[in-house]
Amino acid sequence: MTTLIYDGTFEGLLTAVFEIYEHRLTHVRMQKGEWHNTALFENVIKVVTENSRATRVLKGLKQKLSAQGLQRLYAAHMAEMEGEDDNLVGYIRYVFDAQQNIEEDYGNKYVMRVSEIVRMVRREKHRMEAFVRFQELKDKTFYSAIEPDFNVLPLLIKHFRNRYADQKWIIYDMRRSYGLYYDLHETQYISLDFATVNPGNVISAYDDHEAVYQDLWRNYFTSVNIPARKNTKLHLRHVPKRYWKHLTEKI
Amino acid sequence: MNVDRITEKLNILADAAKYDVSCASSGSKRQNKDKGLGNASNGICHTYTEDGRCVSLLKILFTNVCIYDCAYCVSRKNNDIKRASFTVQEVVDLTINFYRRNYIEGLFLSSGIFKNADYTMERLVQVAKKLRLEHNFNGYIHLKSIPGASDELMREAGMYADRLSINLEMPTEEGLKLLAPEKNRQDMITPMNFLKNEIILRTEEKKLFKKAPMFAPAGQSTQVIIGATPETDQQILQMSDQFYKGFKLKRVYYSGYVPVLSDSRLPALNTAVPMVRENRLYQADWLMRFYHFKVNEIVNQDNPLLDLDIDPKLSWALRNLQSFPIDINKADLQMILRVPGIGVQSAQKIVAARAFGKLNWEQLKKLGIAVNRAKYFITCNSPQYERRDLTGTAIKQYILAGSQSKYIKNSTIQLNLF
Ligand code: SF4
């Protein structure tokens, strides 16, 4: 068993695959993070991300997978789900070792797992498209904080750009401390320094109408409920509690 | 803005609109135009009510003033309730501001009938027109078409709305006569027919000229109230089938009657909402639309009512045990779709995956099929399969016992949580 330590990037993962084939490794384990000199195990390889190697692997993948299949693999890695790198590497190796395109070979455990990961990522992406709640700031920027289970912010760009083309907006991932900012022209990644923001300023930063519309929305949410049909179990399945703190109607 | 007044109006007019269960915002392909606001292509549920229903649209009445007196409706003329009416601008502002905050996919505007059909329809059209032309709003708009409104107004509505709907209200003409004697089923069918033809015409036009304007791109739908009148499920589903085919409806919605009014023609006030029945009707409706079932396979002379304790697909399978078991590695997609416990997506995955090798139980489970149901109806790449020659009743009992225990397990977890 050889442990490959890599930097967590997609290029890093592809470089690792390159080394697996170069050293003809069979049993491998992926690990994200720093290389510690103190841990002198024999079977550890430190993967240094190298674009030329990553590109060669990528080229190979492009030949064996459909464009969609590659996108799915990319999204599965980007989600940063704990402990799934071994499955992703297993998947990539299966792609290369097979003669035909194996994207739909759901009987294979790696293909199945990647399809499960993609399903979970998609669901989280859809949840965020639904659960983002913008608040209008004084400068007419619409601000929203989210805490998705997986890293899905990059997957949200297209949807929100297409939809809110005529307003400035920020979607901020509190858990991963980075956000998206659309300034009516472009979307870019940003990070905010909350430590220096005075709470008083935050409230005065909201537009005067903001509280009114939040109240109206809460009122609406209460009005459309039909008590005679109450079904808490179903409600919680659709809107799990961990999302409530950013949902205007549930605060 | 007079906040208190708007809040009161919103409370009254959202409350009055909530019994219309249709809330879908999918099926349109409206794109964001010239960097304006919104698009209508996703059908997102932004939240769910405490009764577990999707909230996708701002669903309100323009007014709950009405000249009619339909027995099942809270807004009926002779019901002693608070009345309110929005202005066109108020509805526009609410829609835009909710939309900008990502609360909603768009607007579903219905109305009581004040003065006459045209006068009412005109207001609804004005809202849609203002949203589209003055605010470049490309979000979803669903307008209720008022029976009896002029063709001209209907046509204009179709230019701005994504979906139009005319509620049949009662599954049969007799039901309507009983509870809404002033209404006439023909008045609902005429505009449906008009819209159907108009939609076909405009779609043809759009094929020829890409630039031709869209006309109700998400089509039309309708709603019937169930449980207020004594129709059987067979009557209801046959009606749906006929409207899906004859009027190219996108959806028929079934709304379990919520007893809100006391009237000798209606179920008593303490009657439970027929929620299970409503759910079974939706399941049956899905079987017709996505699983290629014919209506008389689901309900017929011998089985005019849907089973309440099991879903209609299982029900059909138990009545047709001679067609099972099927070999999952050989049967065609159509037949796999008919197996209880296998959904459309799993069925498609099975067909894709078995090209690489025969599938066994473990793999089928991973593919998302409910093996505890499906096992009575299929064989796969495994020496294990249901060998006993079970009767339909026995299978039903096994399956119900299985899901029962699952239910009990769940509820103890819930007890620990709360
Ligand atoms: S016409 Fe519509 S709003 Fe008026 S009473 Fe009948 S169902 Fe209610």
Side-chain angles (χ1 to χ4, degrees):
Chain A
M1 175 71 73
T2 311
T3 301
L4 293 143
I5 302 183
Y6 85 115
D7 62 3
T9 63
F10 194 57
E11 291 78 6
L13 190 82
L14 297 183
T15 310
V17 171
F18 190 96
E19 306 219 352
I20 291 170
Y21 280 94
E22 193 180 47
H23 301 295
R24 297 179 195 280
L25 305 175
T26 40
H27 299 295
V28 296
R29 205 172 64 85
M30 297 300 297
Q31 194 181 307
K32 240 178 263 190
E34 295 288 303
W35 162 257
H36 295 294
N37 252 340
T38 45
L40 276 175
F41 301 110
E42 233 174 295
N43 290 335
V44 175
I45 294 181
K46 187 198 175 190
V47 178
V48 183
T49 302
E50 215 178 284
N51 272 338
S52 61
R53 296 184 155 194
T55 314
R56 275 178 64 187
V57 177
L58 188 65
K59 225 172 118 197
L61 283 174
K62 276 184 185 153
Q63 275 164 10
K64 293 230 158 182
L65 288 174
S66 71
Q68 261 183 345
L70 188 59
Q71 258 174 29
R72 287 153 57 87
L73 177 66
Y74 182 66
H77 178 260
M78 194 182 60
E80 293 178 358
M81 250 176 249
E82 204 64 47
E84 294 295 347
D85 283 342
D86 291 333
N87 290 323
L88 297 182
V89 168
Y91 179 85
I92 296 175
R93 293 176 77 175
Y94 186 46
V95 168
F96 283 126
D97 296 346
Q99 293 305 315
Q100 80 242 71
N101 178 321
I102 50 78
E103 268 165 61
E104 293 198 303
D105 184 2
Y106 300 108
N108 175 278
K109 69 172 180 179
Y110 296 120
V111 178
M112 192 60 227
R113 186 61 196 156
V114 167
S115 124
E116 276 167 359
I117 294 173
V118 169
R119 205 169 52 220
M120 285 191 275
V121 170
R122 282 238 176 92
R123 191 172 63 176
E124 199 63 7
K125 168 186 181 273
H126 288 312
R127 273 194 178 135
M128 289 306 120
E129 287 169 0
F131 291 166
V132 156
R133 293 288 177 269
F134 286 120
Q135 301 180 295
E136 190 177 9
L137 307 178
K138 277 234 160 65
D139 73 346
K140 305 290 169 217
T141 302
F142 286 76
Y143 172 80
S144 163
I146 57 172
E147 288 178 63
D149 288 349
F150 316 118
N151 178 31
V152 292
L153 207 50
L155 300 175
L156 298 177
I157 299 175
K158 204 170 141 219
H159 173 79
F160 283 97
R161 245 175 97 130
N162 285 343
R163 175 160 290 200
Y164 297 107
D166 75 337
Q167 69 191 41
K168 290 184 284 179
W169 49 261
I170 293 172
I171 301 172
Y172 207 78
D173 183 339
M174 303 297 273
R175 192 181 285 185
R176 294 167 191 82
S177 299
Y178 81 114
L180 282 175
Y181 174 51
Y182 170 75
D183 63 2
L184 298 180
H185 306 286
E186 288 178 310
T187 324
Q188 50 187 306
Y189 292 109
I190 55 164
S191 73
L192 299 173
D193 185 0
F194 287 98
T196 62
V197 179
N198 170 343
N201 285 344
V202 174
I203 293 171
S204 65
Y206 288 124
D207 187 86
D208 298 340
H209 281 325
E210 184 49 39
V212 174
Y213 283 109
Q214 288 190 20
D215 280 342
L216 285 170
W217 173 242
R218 267 180 226 119
N219 263 301
Y220 177 72
F221 182 72
T222 320
S223 301
V224 291
N225 184 38
I226 302 179
R229 300 179 59 117
K230 190 174 167 73
N231 188 343
T232 311
K233 210 171 119 196
L234 194 60
H235 174 67
L236 287 176
R237 179 146 45 123
H238 288 306
V239 195
K241 274 200 172 142
R242 64 180 181 283
Y243 298 102
W244 286 16
K245 70 174 161 186
H246 296 296
L247 289 175
T248 314
E249 67 274 17
K250 298 304 274 180
I251 304 170
Chain B
M1 172 165 56
N2 182 337
V3 178
D4 291 342
R5 187 68 193 118
I6 291 283
T7 308
E8 192 190 8
K9 284 189 191 182
L10 181 61
N11 289 351
I12 294 173
L13 294 167
D15 188 84
K18 71 186 177 191
Y19 298 100
D20 195 310
V21 289
S22 68
C23 187
S25 56
S26 50
S28 186
K29 287 188 219 82
R30 197 177 295 275
Q31 304 279 325
N32 188 297
K33 200 173 92 219
D34 306 326
K35 276 207 157 189
L37 175 61
N39 54 10
S41 45
N42 303 77
I44 298 169
C45 292
H46 284 273
T47 190
Y48 288 81
T49 58
E50 277 165 24
D51 48 276
R53 284 172 309 136
C54 161
V55 180
S56 179
L57 302 169
L58 169 61
K59 182 162 53 175
I60 46 177
L61 297 190
F62 190 83
T63 179
N64 66 341
V65 174
C66 192
I67 54 173
Y68 286 99
D69 204 35
C70 310
Y72 48 84
C73 175
V74 271
S75 303
R76 62 188 281 194
K77 183 173 65 188
N78 288 327
N79 198 18
D80 185 18
I81 48 160
K82 260 197 178 165
R83 306 281 168 172
S85 306
F86 278 122
T87 64
V88 170
Q89 192 59 47
E90 283 167 348
V91 178
V92 167
D93 287 343
L94 272 176
T95 308
I96 296 278
N97 277 290
F98 277 12
Y99 194 88
R100 286 201 182 285
R101 286 166 177 75
N102 205 42
Y103 298 163
I104 53 170
E105 289 293 291
L107 173 69
F108 177 0
L109 189 59
S110 176
S111 185
I113 298 167
F114 54 126
K115 289 201 183 144
N116 57 50
D118 269 355
Y119 189 86
T120 310
M121 193 67 206
E122 223 175 279
R123 296 294 168 293
L124 306 191
V125 171
Q126 271 177 24
V127 170
K129 186 172 179 177
K130 214 169 177 146
L131 280 167
R132 294 280 190 240
L133 301 186
E134 287 178 30
H135 295 267
N136 191 6
F137 174 76
N138 307 292
Y140 194 90
I141 300 180
H142 178 162
L143 291 186
K144 185 60 65 63
S145 322
I146 307 297
S150 72
D151 288 357
E152 219 17 78
L153 277 169
M154 288 290 190
R155 199 174 282 132
E156 224 190 329
M159 302 290 289
Y160 305 119
D162 293 281
R163 172 167 286 180
L164 297 166
S165 64
I166 296 157
N167 284 356
L168 287 167
E169 310 290 9
M170 292 299 144
T172 57
E173 191 157 5
E174 295 71 50
L176 192 70
K177 276 224 179 77
L178 177 70
L179 296 182
E182 310 149 291
K183 280 190 173 171
N184 178 342
R185 194 161 170 109
Q186 197 50 45
D187 285 348
M188 302 163 181
I189 292 182
T190 310
M192 263 189 200
N193 213 11
F194 172 78
L195 286 174
K196 180 195 85 176
N197 293 330
E198 201 73 4
I199 289 170
I200 294 175
L201 198 80
R202 300 302 182 114
T203 320
E204 287 303 312
E205 226 174 72
K206 193 122 182 86
K207 273 187 206 145
L208 292 174
F209 313 103
K210 281 270 166 294
K211 287 250 163 67
M214 279 196 278
F215 187 89
Q220 51 172 337
S221 64
T222 192
Q223 170 177 288
V224 289
I225 297 171
I226 55 151
T229 41
E231 286 90 357
T232 62
D233 296 326
Q234 187 191 7
Q235 282 173 294
I236 295 170
L237 288 168
Q238 266 168 355
M239 178 280 305
S240 302
D241 187 52
Q242 183 196 334
F243 278 86
Y244 278 131
K245 290 191 180 128
F247 297 89
K248 305 245 175 312
L249 291 192
K250 285 283 159 64
R251 285 296 297 274
V252 174
Y253 290 93
Y254 309 93
S255 170
Y257 175 69
V258 182
V260 279
L261 300 158
S262 130
D263 186 310
S264 60
R265 292 167 291 175
L266 287 168
L269 272 181
N270 54 8
T271 315
V273 184
M275 281 162 69
V276 180
R277 183 179 180 206
E278 182 190 292
N279 186 29
R280 296 287 178 238
L281 282 166
Y282 278 114
Q283 290 173 325
D285 190 277
W286 273 69
L287 291 183
M288 299 198 297
R289 289 186 302 135
F290 301 112
Y291 291 78
H292 311 282
F293 276 84
K294 293 204 184 68
V295 63
N296 59 11
E297 292 180 292
I298 303 168
V299 277
N300 47 46
Q301 218 59 58
D302 297 331
N303 307 281
L305 298 177
L306 295 169
D307 263 322
L308 289 184
D309 50 358
I310 53 171
D311 66 85
K313 194 172 166 191
L314 178 56
S315 202
W316 173 83
L318 293 178
R319 289 199 303 268
N320 292 276
L321 281 177
Q322 74 283 356
S323 313
F324 297 103
I326 58 161
D327 181 347
I328 210 75
N329 289 303
K330 291 210 186 90
D332 64 339
L333 180 64
Q334 293 305 321
M335 200 54 211
I336 295 180
L337 281 171
R338 291 184 167 233
V339 177
I342 302 185
V344 176
Q345 279 192 359
S346 305
Q348 283 164 349
K349 278 193 168 167
I350 287 171
V351 173
R354 71 186 183 187
F356 294 88
K358 289 186 172 171
L359 302 168
N360 59 31
W361 291 115
E362 208 39 52
Q363 290 165 317
L364 287 174
K365 204 178 270 175
K366 281 260 168 200
L367 280 166
I369 81 164
V371 172
N372 57 348
R373 290 177 159 241
K375 68 178 175 193
Y376 300 102
F377 305 98
I378 58 174
T379 59
C380 62
N381 188 27
S382 159
Q384 285 161 12
Y385 59 92
E386 185 56 61
R387 281 165 217 273
R388 290 171 295 179
D389 193 13
L390 296 172
T391 62
T393 326
I395 295 176
K396 177 171 161 178
Q397 272 164 1
Y398 284 129
I399 289 179
L400 280 179
S403 51
Q404 194 76 27
S405 62
K406 194 173 94 195
Y407 181 72
I408 290 166
K409 250 184 265 151
N410 279 349
S411 64
T412 48
I413 293 168
Q414 276 201 349
L415 280 180
N416 294 338
L417 279 174
F418 298 107

